[in-house]
Amino acid sequence: MANSNKILQTNLQAALLAISLDRTAQTSLHSQLTEALRQLILSGQAVPGARLPASRQLAQDLSVSRQTTLTALDQLVAEGYLETRRGAGCFVARDLPHLSPPAPTTIRGPLAKGPTPLRPFHPGIPDMTLFPHAVWARHLDRAWRQPEPALLAPPDPLGWPPLRAAIAAHLRAWRGIDCAPGQVVITSGATETFELLSRALFTPGDRVLIEQPGFPPMRAALVQAGLIPQALPIGGAPPAEAKAAIVTPSRHYPLGTTMPLPRRLALLDWANRRGAWIVEDDYDSEFRYTGAPLPALMSLGASRTIYVGSFSKLLSPALRLGYMVLPPALLGLVSTAMSQTGPRASLVPQPALAAFMDSRAFATHLRRMRRVYADRQVALRTALLRDLPDHLVTQPDPSGMHLVCWPGPALSLTDTQVATQAATIGLTLRPLSAYWPDSTGPQGLVLGYAAFAPDAMNTAVRQLALLLQPGSAPVST
Amino acid sequence: MANSNKILQTNLQAALLAISLDRTAQTSLHSQLTEALRQLILSGQAVPGARLPASRQLAQDLSVSRQTTLTALDQLVAEGYLETRRGAGCFVARDLPHLSPPAPTTIRGPLAKGPTPLRPFHPGIPDMTLFPHAVWARHLDRAWRQPEPALLAPPDPLGWPPLRAAIAAHLRAWRGIDCAPGQVVITSGATETFELLSRALFTPGDRVLIEQPGFPPMRAALVQAGLIPQALPIGGAPPAEAKAAIVTPSRHYPLGTTMPLPRRLALLDWANRRGAWIVEDDYDSEFRYTGAPLPALMSLGASRTIYVGSFSKLLSPALRLGYMVLPPALLGLVSTAMSQTGPRASLVPQPALAAFMDSRAFATHLRRMRRVYADRQVALRTALLRDLPDHLVTQPDPSGMHLVCWPGPALSLTDTQVATQAATIGLTLRPLSAYWPDSTGPQGLVLGYAAFAPDAMNTAVRQLALLLQPGSAPVST
């Protein structure tokens, strides 16, 4: 035993002499020494009970000042790695456990996902380069340079009140919705909105009607929440036992159609009679190019309708701000659901966004983007008609940020094949069939145009034409 | 039938004449008329098939221009409320459903929760009035006035890369953690962090060890996620079957104690041997008033430790920014979990925070707050010693933002009774027993001091003294 202690002591002595300190490093010598000694203990080279040389000896061995070794040893005593015994010097603490080597890490997960580069024709993304950054930065600066006291108090979990008022005013002007600011709840986006609604309104096993086709992550989120998604029937009455219907009446996602008035009224009537809820997902209806925007479904019957909006398409996905408008009867339930997780929307952009929405610049920006996106839709249709007239067939769409392209007679590939091949040349095309469960839908392709300048789309369509009809050189500009 | 039609028609005529338009309103006359006609239809006063007067007649009846009535009627035809028949004029659309009156709303939920006013001694809140707002506003302005192109591209879901680098540098300097920026994941706060970890690492039914006492919402969140929370034993080895342990080693919540080194090493050893995870919740350890901060547990064994941090206590809860540091093996699983909901942290504060952290102002601010909070702890202890020496007993705490007060001999009420009575005079005291499951813990009170100026705390302690010993007038200042 004494012999094995001797060996350990000799090993420790050698290990100590092997410590190398970098005199040119930014880290102080005593920090380097502390870390080196800590590692000797943690690696088992210095075992519990082993005696360290005196600080003076250690200083001499390592060619450092005695103050350096004293500081390092004191720090390790404070941290519990070393203990001192009166007159006997410094020892590795004896109450440290015997350490096993780490078990091999068995996790074989997928690789981390980095950002998805923005390539034509990624749908649903606004053109961030046209955002009025200077105006926005000024609002941020003004809101936070000398923040009003309410901004420093504990925040209202339902959102910054002036932003809720600005949203109510915007919805009145643009969407025909008559609501009080107190009915508006700010969230970090549509996903959190739907999570809050799921927790507030439903219990696992409830049936929720969704549109078919529809936004695939919505179906997945409902399943994740323990709910049973069911297709909303196109004709006839919704099933009696469903608790809610989630719909995109202003502009069906992804088809872009508008829900006709009789169907809106029948849906409201069903909700009124059954005590069910209608969740109106109004994701991009401000971008309507011909005629006045159709009023929101909520403007027809506010007592059983929940309106869901977001600033991701309207302004910028970087904001991470969305909102919902609730019938007053639901405010308590949703605020209880929110108190379980706490609010997730950052307060930082909220006062700036409120001031921006209250200014003329906001409506000016929306009108400008409406013109830009309308022009881009024309540019995309023109390019498709020129280079792929027999492959992809489109109709002018009075609104939105993407076009649905139907297969023409010359297209010999499936929509999934087109999307896969387009991805190899750096183009993002979404197969329409994938918007149905199990990708069983009709053939087509969804092409976003809002984020792309006409030149970029011309080039991309030409590349796509070369891919789909490799024999014939496309006609130049 | 013809007769009943006649009556309906007469009723409609009367209702039309009752329409009143406000010529002084900001809304145009044709919009007002559109809305009024829409309401007549929705309310059932104008039934499907009813004929409207000709536009010229209607204009005369309402004393508006014919253009006004034409515009309103056209809009309602476009929306589907009206239909035209050649030569016969305008009718309420016949395909509108018969509408039932709304069912009474049966939801009887709790009332909406507004903001909780900040009153002494609310724990865990920084003093927002001391935040360097001018510096922060300048960083916001600089980041967004002419944003660099990467800020306009689709964001990295794991967070703005320069902020992740700034956090890695901060953790190296302040917490002894050696990690790459790519291991840092930005979230909207600790709640989202724990949700992501729950989805990435565990399956429902897994056992997760938590400290007792601990943060009550943590236990609730684990149960909500279908996991089984179990108390981490104080002595002896953790149970073999547990998948993870969530701990606050730098500063136990709420007791403020530091986990001793042998226990840290034993926990790491258990995780290594069992392939379990240690989640290190390091919620306020930057505020250490005496001696150097103890290195984080992650600095001892990074392969099975997940470090969880937040800016809510360090800087401001308004940011809604938190982060975690992951072993590289977990990055893929967590990024997959995040892709299910999308990132929730706003990008708006991230570049400003990165620049702030990279500047000297950040460390200066933290050091300043450390001095301020240390002084406030002394002020609170002094006030308690002066006014309630035999009721609430405290020890100086080398770190943190709150004090635990133990019951003195003169205190005749339970901690819950004290908290309830203090609430009636506008004071927030947390009973210590409530930090154990079912409030079964020892008696005590948790008093936060970080957010309150000494004067405010002096007044509050005097009020508390009057409450607890109503007979004896407290000694003045």
Side-chain angles (χ1 to χ4, degrees), chain A residues 35 38-39 41-42 75 78-82 95-118 125 128-129 133-134 136-138 140-142 144-147 151-158 176 188 191-192 195 199 201 217 224 260-263 265-266 269 271-275 277 291-295 299-300 303-304 317-321 329-333 335-336 339-349, chain B residues 35 38-39 41-42 75-76 78-82 95-118 125 128-129 133-134 136-138 140-142 144-147 151-158 176 188 191-192 195 199 201 217 224 260-263 265-266 269 271-275 277 292-295 299-300 303-304 317-321 329-333 335-336 339-349:
Chain A
E35 179 56 24
R38 207 187 273 125
Q39 288 309 322
I41 298 168
L42 291 174
Q75 172 72 23
E79 290 183 9
Y81 287 91
L82 300 179
D95 59 356
L96 297 185
H98 176 76
L99 300 176
S100 328
T105 299
T106 51
I107 295 289
R108 290 274 178 280
L111 291 176
K113 293 199 178 77
T116 316
L118 187 59
I125 308 272
M128 287 299 297
T129 63
H133 294 290
W136 173 244
R138 202 162 57 238
L140 279 172
D141 181 46
R142 271 192 206 147
W144 289 106
R145 202 186 320 136
Q146 292 187 315
L151 279 172
L152 306 183
D156 189 325
L158 302 184
S188 63
T191 324
E192 190 196 352
E195 276 183 13
R199 283 214 306 278
L201 301 185
Q224 169 93 12
L261 185 66
R263 200 159 148 66
L265 295 175
D269 197 44
N272 280 335
R273 274 185 292 111
R274 295 293 176 179
W277 300 103
L294 293 184
S299 71
L300 300 180
S303 68
R304 306 218 61 96
L319 293 174
R320 295 278 101 218
L321 287 178
L330 289 186
L331 275 166
L333 288 176
S335 89
T336 300
S339 70
Q340 288 165 11
T341 54
R344 285 174 173 177
S346 176
L347 189 61
V348 175
Chain B
E35 179 57 25
R38 205 187 273 124
Q39 287 310 323
I41 298 168
L42 291 173
Q75 173 70 23
L76 291 170
E79 291 182 9
Y81 287 90
L82 300 178
D95 58 357
L96 297 185
H98 177 78
L99 300 176
S100 326
T105 299
T106 52
I107 296 288
R108 289 274 178 280
L111 291 176
K113 292 197 177 79
T116 316
L118 187 60
I125 307 274
M128 287 299 298
T129 63
H133 294 290
W136 173 245
R138 202 162 57 238
L140 280 172
D141 181 48
R142 270 192 206 145
W144 289 106
R145 203 186 320 135
Q146 291 187 314
L151 279 173
L152 306 184
D156 189 326
L158 302 184
S188 63
T191 325
E192 190 195 353
E195 276 183 14
R199 283 214 307 277
L201 302 184
Q224 169 92 10
L261 186 65
R263 198 157 151 66
L265 295 175
D269 197 44
N272 280 334
R273 275 185 291 109
R274 296 293 176 176
W277 300 104
L294 294 184
S299 71
L300 300 180
S303 69
R304 304 216 63 92
L319 292 174
R320 294 279 100 216
L321 287 178
L330 288 185
L331 274 167
L333 288 177
S335 89
T336 301
S339 69
Q340 288 165 12
T341 55
R344 286 176 172 176
S346 176
L347 189 62
V348 175

Side-chain angles (χ1 to χ4, degrees), chain A residues 190 193-195 197-198 201-202 207-215 217-219 221-223 227-232 238 242-249 252-253 259 263 267 270 276-283 297 305-308:
Chain A
T193 304
F194 287 113
E195 276 183 13
L197 289 175
S198 292
L201 301 185
F202 310 132
R207 277 164 209 283
V208 174
L209 303 174
I210 55 174
E211 290 171 323
Q212 192 165 301
F215 188 52
M218 171 71 76
R219 168 179 286 271
L222 293 175
V223 171
L227 305 172
I228 302 171
Q230 206 172 325
L232 177 71
K243 287 286 184 351
I246 304 175
V247 289
T248 53
H252 177 276
Y253 191 85
M259 188 185 284
R263 200 159 148 66
L267 206 56
W270 163 77
W277 300 103
I278 298 174
V279 182
E280 174 175 25
D281 183 5
D282 205 28
Y283 59 101
L297 204 154
T305 309
I306 296 145
Y307 179 93
V308 176

